[in-house]
Amino acid sequence: METTERSKLYNVIKYPGREAASSDKLIVENDCMSSPGVALFLGNEVSGVDTDIMPLLDEVVEIPMFGLKNSLNVAACAPVVMYEILRQWKVSSSSSSSSKSSEGVD
């Protein structure tokens, strides 16, 4: 990984959110209530994420690449990382497909 020394593989990081939503853990800070979650900041192919934002991030995630190219476009990166987040949260499409089957829709 070449962007920063903080970079970690996208599938090594534990993405918060699912367990907090199910346990109703709320964070109160500056009179605002929120629950832990994930916000993805995706950089462009040439310059990446703005350097002013980098110190504010909890984690820096990278997708490993093989070959001569050293960047992926956002349209390729976003679904890879979002899939990993949903996989860790154990979200599946089986509930939506089972409801379609029960309605007679295939």
Side-chain angles (χ1 to χ4, degrees):
M1 293 188 262
E2 60 190 47
T3 303
T4 74
E5 46 194 51
R6 292 179 52 201
S7 299
K8 296 179 184 175
L9 290 175
Y10 76 98
N11 59 350
V12 173
I13 292 176
K14 180 169 177 11
Y15 297 94
R18 175 76 175 209
E19 68 283 345
S22 63
S23 66
D24 295 327
K25 292 181 184 174
L26 292 177
I27 297 171
V28 178
E29 185 176 310
N30 299 328
D31 295 328
C32 294
M33 291 175 49
S34 65
S35 61
V38 174
L40 297 176
F41 292 83
L42 304 170
N44 68 37
E45 294 176 65
V46 177
S47 59
V49 175
D50 190 310
T51 55
D52 293 337
I53 294 173
M54 295 294 275
L56 304 173
L57 304 176
D58 293 328
E59 301 283 354
V60 177
V61 177
E62 289 196 13
I63 300 170
M65 294 186 50
F66 301 98
L68 300 176
K69 295 284 184 179
N70 63 0
S71 67
L72 290 171
N73 66 33
V74 172
C77 293
V80 170
V81 177
M82 287 188 274
Y83 177 85
E84 177 60 19
I85 293 168
L86 294 176
R87 186 192 67 78
Q88 287 186 19
W89 290 356
K90 297 180 178 20
V91 174
S92 70
S93 62
S94 62
S95 60
S96 63
S97 63
S98 65
S99 65
K100 288 180 183 176
S101 297
S102 65
E103 297 170 3
V105 177
D106 292 280

